[in-house]
Amino acid sequence: MGTGSGLVYVSGKKSRQAEAWIMMDLGKIRINPRLRTHWEAVDLGFTLARSWYKTLFLSWVLPAATLLAILTLIFHVFEWPLWIPTVIVWWLKPLWDSSLLLYGSRALFGETLSVDYSMKGSLGFLKPDWFAWLTWRRLSPARSFVMPVTGLEGLKGEPRSRRVGLLTQRSGSSSFWITIVCLVMEVSLTAGFYALILILIPETVDFNLQTIAESESVFADMIDNFVALMASALIAPFYTMAGFALYINRRIELEAWDIEIHFRDMVSRQKSRKPRASVSKAAQLFLGGILSSLLLFATPQTTEAAPLSQLSRESAKEQITEALRGEDFHVMETKTGWRLKENPEEDSSLSEKLPEWFIDVIDWLAGLLRPAGSNGNSSSVFIIASFLELLVWAAAIGAVAWLIYHYRQGIRALFTSVDLARHKKPKVAAPEVMFGLDVRQESLPDDIPAEASALWSKGEFRAALGLLYRATLSELIHRYEFEFHPGHTERECADLVHKGQNEEQVSECLNNFVLNLTEQWQWTAYGHRQPDTKAFEHLCENWQEVFPA
C-alpha cells in the first residue's frame, strides 16, 4: 500500500528501513507538493541541489576522495597503473550517491543532517540490494530515479521490479536524459579544466599538454585523478537531486499527496474556527426526533445486515476486507502487441467493403510472390517477406526519383552548358562610408600620395594615414570590385583581399600593401601611436606601384 505520511512505499511485510521512514509527516514537507511536469521536477531537483549544495558536495567528495587517495598510494607503491583507482571510485558512485539521497530525503521534510551523519547513514542505505547496484544496475541510465525504491522503500526482487515498472511508465525518458546531460557536464568540466591551464600559461613557456599526458609521470596521473574526481563531485548533487525530485513528483502523482495535504489544511482550519453558539437541548431533541422519523420512513427496512451503529470496529473492518477480496476489485487485463482497433458496430467483413479491383491486385501480387512450383498453401511468412522486399525496392526507387527531381538543376549543369550569368550573385551596392571614412571616389584628391605627404608635413599624421587608407578602400571597391559591407571590420577587409590573392584577383604586392597599411592605420586610429616616418614614406611610394594611374 502507499502511505501518505512519508516517503516509504510498503508492500507486504515492512522492512526496518521502511519502518524508519514511514514516520515522515507530509505536513512538514518543504516544497509545494503540486503535480509538475517532468522537466519542472528536474528543475526543482536542481534548485534543491543549490540550496543544500555544500553539505551534498562534502557528503559525496569526502569518502570518495579518501578512498581515491588510499588506492592511489597503494597502486603507486606497487607500481601499478594509477588510472585504475579513478575507475574504481567512479564505479562505486552508487555508494557515494546514497549519502546525498539520504540527506535529501530527510531535508525535504525539515530535518537537517550533518555531513558525518549522512556518510555514516549511507552505509546501510543500499544494503538490501548492494550487489545489484554495483554490478548490472551500475550503468542503468535511470539510476538516480529508481535508487530511492531500494534506499527509501527497502524493496528488492519482484516487488522492486513491479514498483520500478510503475514509476517509470511516464518518467523513464526524463531520467535517461538526466544521466546524459550530467555526463556531458562532467566531460565539459574536465575538458574546461585542461583548457584553463592552457589559457593561463604564457606563450613564452614551452608547455605541451599532449607530451605531458603521454609521458609516464606520476604527477600527471595524480592530476588526472583529481580532475576526474572533482568533475564527478561537482555534478553529483545535481544528478542525484534531479532524479530524487523526479521520483517525488511521480509519488505525488500516484498517491495524491497534494490532495491529502489540502484535506489536512481544511481539517486544521475547521478545528481552529470558533464553535457556534450551542443549540438548546430541547431544540436538539426536537430536531433529532423529526430526522429520525424521516429516516424511518425513507430508509428501506432490511434484516439481513446489522445497522452500522451496531457494528464494532473489528466487524466493519472484516466486512470491508471481505468485500475488497471479491472479484470485482481484482479484475486485471493485460494486452500486448500491435493490433487494429476493434469496432463491434461493424458487422460486415473487410472483404465486402474493399473494391473488387483492389482484391484482384492483391491476388495478382500474391501470385507473383509465390514460389515457383508451389501450391496455394505456400508459406505465408515467405509471401509477407517478399511483399516487404517489394515495398523496400519501391521505396528505394521512389527515393532515387525524388533526388533526381529535387537536384535536377545541378544534374543538368553537369551535362549541359549553363549560362553562368544567370547564377551570378546580384551586385551589392558599393558603400559610401566605412569606419567613419568617406570612400567615394569624388571625395578623393587627384594625387593621393602628394596630398598625404602634405598632411604629414603639417603634423596631421592621422589625417594623412586616413587619406591613404580610405583611398585604398575606394580603389579596392571600384577597381577590383570587392564587395565590402559597412559592417565589415578592418581585419575582415584585409582577409577578403588575402582571399582575393589566393583566387588571383589581386597580386601579392597589393595584398602585402593592404596588410601593412591596415596595421599602420589600426595603430594610429585605435592605439594612438604615431607611425614611423620611413614607414609612411614607404607606403606613399608603394601607392604608385599597386594603383598605377
Side-chain angles (χ1 to χ4, degrees):
M1 66 177 182
T3 174
S5 59
L7 288 179
V8 184
Y9 177 86
V10 184
S11 177
K13 185 178 180 181
K14 299 178 183 177
S15 63
R16 294 181 179 179
Q17 195 170 9
E19 291 176 352
W21 286 96
I22 200 169
M23 301 306 295
M24 289 294 179
D25 186 6
L26 285 181
K28 298 180 180 179
I29 194 168
R30 300 180 63 180
I31 62 172
N32 181 16
R34 65 176 179 86
L35 187 59
R36 295 172 170 84
T37 63
H38 300 161
W39 297 116
E40 286 179 334
V42 172
D43 184 66
L44 174 64
F46 286 171
T47 303
L48 295 177
R50 290 196 302 268
S51 302
W52 309 325
Y53 190 80
K54 180 180 178 181
T55 305
L56 295 176
F57 175 77
L58 294 177
S59 300
W60 198 99
V61 75
L62 289 180
T66 303
L67 180 62
L68 180 63
I70 295 174
L71 292 178
T72 302
L73 179 61
I74 295 174
F75 277 63
H76 175 62
V77 171
F78 290 95
E79 297 183 354
W80 294 339
L82 293 183
W83 58 267
I84 298 179
T86 302
V87 175
I88 295 176
V89 172
W90 174 82
W91 189 263
L92 295 177
K93 266 188 176 184
L95 297 181
W96 322 134
D97 293 344
S98 62
S99 61
L100 276 60
L101 186 59
L102 172 62
Y103 180 86
S105 60
R106 294 290 185 89
L108 186 65
F109 291 89
E111 184 178 355
T112 303
L113 304 181
S114 62
V115 176
D116 183 61
Y117 185 88
S118 299
M119 292 188 297
K120 291 181 180 179
S122 64
L123 295 177
F125 208 65
L126 300 180
K127 186 177 180 181
D129 221 0
W130 66 270
F131 183 75
W133 283 108
L134 297 182
T135 51
W136 64 86
R137 289 185 200 154
R138 170 59 185 85
L139 300 178
S140 172
R143 177 164 53 89
S144 64
F145 175 53
V146 300
M147 185 182 291
V149 177
T150 301
L152 300 180
E153 303 180 15
L155 300 180
K156 62 179 181 179
E158 185 61 26
R160 179 197 171 275
S161 300
R162 292 197 301 268
R163 180 64 170 165
V164 170
L166 178 63
L167 293 175
T168 56
Q169 283 180 359
R170 298 180 60 183
S171 302
S173 61
S174 301
S175 60
F176 169 79
W177 284 111
I178 290 173
T179 303
I180 296 299
V181 170
C182 290
L183 178 61
V184 172
M185 292 172 65
E186 285 190 20
V187 175
S188 301
L189 281 178
T190 304
F193 176 80
Y194 292 112
L196 179 63
I197 294 178
L198 295 177
I199 292 174
L200 295 179
I201 294 177
E203 296 181 357
T204 56
V205 178
D206 186 11
F207 180 82
N208 192 337
L209 187 61
Q210 182 178 0
T211 304
I212 297 177
E214 294 176 354
S215 64
E216 298 181 358
S217 173
V218 176
F219 178 74
D221 292 338
M222 290 184 178
I223 290 295
D224 292 339
N225 293 352
F226 173 78
V227 171
L229 175 68
M230 293 305 298
S232 299
L234 291 172
I235 301 300
F238 297 100
Y239 173 68
T240 308
M241 289 299 103
F244 176 62
L246 198 63
Y247 165 81
I248 291 296
N249 189 65
R250 185 66 173 142
R251 290 286 301 272
I252 293 174
E253 180 182 5
L254 293 175
E255 301 168 21
W257 288 5
D258 51 345
I259 299 177
E260 180 176 348
I261 290 178
H262 284 310
F263 276 124
R264 290 186 179 187
D265 293 340
M266 291 172 61
V267 172
S268 300
R269 290 194 300 268
Q270 186 67 26
K271 289 181 178 180
S272 63
R273 292 178 181 176
K274 294 181 179 181
R276 297 180 180 179
S278 59
V279 186
S280 63
K281 187 174 293 185
Q284 292 180 5
L285 293 175
F286 178 73
L287 293 175
I290 294 177
L291 292 176
S292 300
S293 301
L294 292 175
L295 291 175
L296 182 62
F297 290 103
T299 306
Q301 299 295 326
T302 58
T303 58
E304 298 179 359
L308 294 177
S309 60
Q310 298 180 5
L311 285 177
S312 64
R313 187 181 182 88
E314 291 76 12
S315 301
K317 186 176 181 179
E318 290 179 0
Q319 290 188 14
I320 293 174
T321 305
E322 186 66 27
L324 292 176
R325 290 176 180 173
E327 296 181 357
D328 294 337
F329 293 93
H330 293 81
V331 176
M332 296 182 64
E333 184 179 1
T334 303
K335 292 184 179 181
T336 59
W338 296 94
R339 61 188 182 279
L340 296 174
K341 292 184 177 180
E342 299 178 358
N343 191 354
E345 297 179 357
E346 296 183 358
D347 297 328
S348 58
S349 62
L350 182 63
S351 60
E352 296 177 356
K353 295 185 177 182
L354 295 176
E356 292 293 336
W357 64 267
F358 184 79
I359 298 177
D360 294 339
V361 170
I362 297 298
D363 292 338
W364 176 73
L365 289 175
L368 292 178
L369 299 175
R370 187 178 294 112
S374 62
N375 53 19
N377 299 324
S378 301
S379 173
S380 60
V381 176
F382 178 83
I383 294 178
I384 293 174
S386 302
F387 185 72
L388 291 177
E389 182 182 1
L390 181 63
L391 290 179
V392 171
W393 278 106
I397 294 173
V400 172
W402 180 85
L403 289 173
I404 294 175
Y405 175 78
H406 187 72
Y407 297 102
R408 60 188 183 280
Q409 296 293 343
I411 296 175
R412 187 184 300 114
L414 293 176
F415 299 99
T416 59
S417 58
V418 181
D419 185 9
L420 298 179
R422 293 184 305 167
H423 300 280
K424 286 186 177 179
K425 296 182 180 179
K427 187 175 182 180
V428 180
E432 297 182 354
V433 178
M434 295 188 67
F435 330 119
L437 302 176
D438 191 352
V439 295
R440 296 176 301 167
Q441 286 185 323
E442 56 268 19
S443 65
L444 299 172
D446 295 334
D447 193 348
I448 302 298
E451 185 67 23
S453 299
L455 292 173
W456 186 273
S457 61
K458 295 178 183 179
E460 300 179 6
F461 307 114
R462 189 180 189 280
L465 204 58
L467 176 61
L468 279 180
Y469 187 66
R470 66 190 183 95
T472 301
L473 291 177
S474 180
E475 290 293 330
L476 291 174
I477 292 172
H478 298 93
R479 180 180 298 191
Y480 292 94
E481 297 183 350
F482 276 96
E483 294 182 357
F484 293 149
H485 298 279
H488 281 161
T489 63
E490 291 91 338
R491 177 54 56 187
E492 289 175 340
C493 293
D495 292 339
L496 288 176
V497 175
H498 180 69
K499 183 179 178 181
Q501 177 195 346
N502 297 334
E503 297 175 357
E504 298 182 356
Q505 184 179 358
V506 298
S507 62
E508 182 181 0
C509 181
L510 175 58
N511 177 46
N512 295 334
F513 173 78
V514 171
L515 290 177
N516 188 16
L517 178 59
T518 301
E519 183 179 4
Q520 296 292 337
W521 165 249
Q522 287 179 330
W523 283 353
T524 303
Y526 306 116
H528 305 286
R529 295 169 56 183
Q530 178 181 345
D532 184 58
T533 303
K534 292 183 178 180
F536 176 77
E537 293 176 353
H538 183 68
L539 289 174
C540 292
E541 293 174 359
N542 289 343
W543 170 268
Q544 300 294 344
E545 299 179 6
V546 298
F547 297 118

